[in-house]
Amino acid sequence: MQETSYIHMLEGRLRIKVLEIKGSVDKAVGVEETIRELDGVTHVKANSLTGNVLVLFDSDETNHYHIIGTLKDLGCLRTNSRITPARSTSKWAEAVVGPIAQTLIERAILALI
């Protein structure tokens, strides 16, 4: 199994470790180009040095599931990768979403991958 990856998500923002782009500028550029074409995506940066992909998007037009699904379709998230969602440190997320909702969201994303 690969080393642990992570997901950090907030409304309209997704940061995910994509080990498959680490060390490959070509793969990082390909991820950026593909994700940038999705409806609602306003910014994407794939860093080949760290393996991190940051996506900013309009949540009225797309969502975390669609972006993660696209990464999976690109072969960038292997099915044997362990993804550990990071807990949000946002006070808003803690107050509004709450720990139960956060757990449900994390489980849904893990099931998608």
Side-chain angles (χ1 to χ4, degrees):
M1 185 175 288
Q2 295 182 6
E3 67 185 77
T4 302
S5 297
Y6 68 85
I7 294 174
H8 185 267
M9 15 175 237
L10 297 170
E11 186 71 24
R13 184 179 189 276
L14 172 69
R15 184 171 31 110
I16 184 168
K17 179 74 79 173
V18 179
L19 298 174
E20 290 77 6
I21 68 165
K22 192 169 184 176
S24 176
V25 173
D26 290 339
K27 285 183 183 178
V29 168
V31 164
E32 285 182 351
E33 290 173 349
T34 301
I35 299 297
R36 189 174 290 119
E37 292 177 5
L38 297 176
D39 289 340
V41 171
T42 58
H43 174 81
V44 61
K45 177 62 181 163
N47 187 321
S48 64
L49 294 176
T50 64
N52 289 332
V53 177
L54 173 66
V55 183
L56 304 179
F57 58 93
D58 179 345
S59 56
D60 289 333
E61 295 185 44
T62 193
N63 58 45
H64 300 96
Y65 300 105
H66 184 64
I67 296 165
I68 291 169
T70 301
L71 288 169
K72 188 175 178 183
D73 290 346
L74 286 172
C76 290
L77 298 175
R78 298 179 188 169
T79 55
N80 64 347
S81 292
R82 279 185 27 221
I83 304 292
T84 306
R87 289 202 58 185
S88 171
T89 57
S90 165
K91 289 182 182 180
W92 177 87
E94 290 176 13
V96 176
V97 176
I100 294 173
Q102 184 69 26
T103 299
L104 292 174
I105 292 168
E106 290 170 358
R107 287 184 183 178
I109 288 178
L110 290 172
L112 176 65
I113 295 173

